[in-house]
DNA sequence: ATGCCGTGGAAACCACGA
């Protein structure tokens, strides 16, 4: 079973690129972030025609998350991160597919830091960690994936010294990610490639992609039950080089079926 | 060191992103 995550940066503006990638990569499950589309503007028919069922949580202009699944209908578990009924951003959706719980998340950016946006990021992170702990406690096979807006270690940043005060790399952010992983989650990419430079995002400007000045911020966390089922993982880096592409590249994992 | 590019929505600029 292949599961992918892709921050599309506008699901409608990016539809040709998304369909091209789905056709090429054919993931069984694809978690999308930054739909930037309200609920009723989600391109369901085009995705159905491409062979995917979908659940999504849209929002006008910003955020928005979706889970696509080939052949089987995702069974929605929830569409908000528990813990704050005042939080109206669509940043989390969770479903069960083939017996695996899949949480698709878009963690807040948090810049500028410090400030209210950074406070929101840390508060959201705290709620995520509480929810993740519940998933661990349930002992079910689970995957948490999406745009975490965190570079966990220096190896994940092209010039770490420039990012120390950024919301994506500040001590508090990295510590929150570390706390999350230490609940018992496995960072799939780092399990298979502990020492390699691997990026999932490149800025649009300054020829960042051409210079490979990137960041690793899109992650797969595997619950203990899935840790030993990880067969492969990677980044579809070439997709970032396509015309009218997102600033993120798709990331994927392959899990043993039985 | 930096939103320099790109998206969406409303209004022909602005908010937001990482």
């Amino acid at each position: 079973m292949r599961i992918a995550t892709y921050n599309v940066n506008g699901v409608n503006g990016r539809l040709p690129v998304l369909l091209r990638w789905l056709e090429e990569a054919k993931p069984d499950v694809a978690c999308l972030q930054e739909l930037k589309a309200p609920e009723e503007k989600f391109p369901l028919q085009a995705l159905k025609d491409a062979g995917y069922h979908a659940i999504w949580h849209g929002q006008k202009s910003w955020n928005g998350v979706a889970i696509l699944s080939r052949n089987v209908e995702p069974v929605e578990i929830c569409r908000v991160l528990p813990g704050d009924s005042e939080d109206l951003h669509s940043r989390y959706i969770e479903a069960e597919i083939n017996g695996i719980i899949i949480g698709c998340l878009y963690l807040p950016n948090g810049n500028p830091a410090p400030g209210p946006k950074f406070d929101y990021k840390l508060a959201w992170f705290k709620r995520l960690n509480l929810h993740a702990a519940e998933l661990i406690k349930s002992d079910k096979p689970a995957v948490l994936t999406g745009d975490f807006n965190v570079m966990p270690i220096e190896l994940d940043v092209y010039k770490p010294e420039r990012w120390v005060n950024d919301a994506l790399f500040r001590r508090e952010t990295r510590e929150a990610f570390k706390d999350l992983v230490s609940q018992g989650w496995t960072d799939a990419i780092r399990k298979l490639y502990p020492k390699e430079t691997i990026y999932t995002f490149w800025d649009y400007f300054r020829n960042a992609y051409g210079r490979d000045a990137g960041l690793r911020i899109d992650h797969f966390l595997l619950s203990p039950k899935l840790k030993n089922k990880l067969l492969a993982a990677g980044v579809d880096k070439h997709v970032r080089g396509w015309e009218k592409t997102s600033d993120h590249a798709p990331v994927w994992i392959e899990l043993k079926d039985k």
Side-chain angles (χ1 to χ4, degrees), chain A residues 9-172:
Chain A
N9 188 9
V11 72
N12 287 304
R14 214 64 74 193
L15 194 56
V17 165
L18 174 61
L19 294 174
R20 180 180 169 190
W21 167 71
L22 286 172
E23 172 64 27
E24 176 189 284
K26 295 187 167 63
D28 298 295
V29 174
C31 297
L32 307 181
Q33 302 86 35
E34 279 208 86
L35 303 179
K36 294 187 171 177
E39 200 69 9
E40 66 277 12
K41 293 251 176 81
F42 184 80
L44 180 60
Q45 193 55 54
L47 292 166
K48 269 188 176 167
D49 293 345
Y52 286 88
H53 300 273
I55 58 169
W56 68 96
H57 187 185
Q59 182 182 331
K60 197 169 144 185
S61 305
W62 296 304
N63 310 313
V65 283
I67 300 177
L68 315 183
S69 170
R70 271 170 62 192
N71 306 323
V72 289
E73 198 98 48
V75 180
E76 184 173 312
I77 299 169
C78 61
R79 51 176 48 227
V80 291
L81 186 63
D84 182 2
S85 55
E86 309 275 288
D87 181 8
L88 299 177
H89 291 200
S90 8
R91 295 183 176 274
Y92 189 81
I93 191 163
E94 188 180 282
E96 184 170 329
I97 299 173
N98 291 339
I100 297 176
I101 295 175
I102 296 173
C104 167
L105 64 104
Y106 176 45
L107 208 135
N109 174 303
N111 277 306
K117 289 193 173 182
F118 190 56
D119 295 341
Y120 173 62
K121 176 177 196 155
L122 294 181
W124 205 94
F125 222 140
K126 194 173 275 184
R127 284 163 58 202
L128 176 64
N129 288 7
L130 285 170
H131 184 61
E134 290 296 316
L135 291 174
I136 291 282
K137 211 167 91 182
S138 78
D139 206 32
K140 290 179 181 163
V143 174
L144 282 174
T145 187
D147 179 356
F148 284 70
N149 270 317
V150 185
M151 296 83 87
I153 57 172
E154 296 203 337
L155 184 58
D156 300 317
V157 195
Y158 69 102
K159 280 224 163 72
E161 67 278 9
R162 285 194 190 173
W163 289 84
V164 286
N165 291 317
D166 191 278
L168 281 73
F169 198 54
R170 285 176 74 94
R171 181 183 51 78
E172 303 94 313

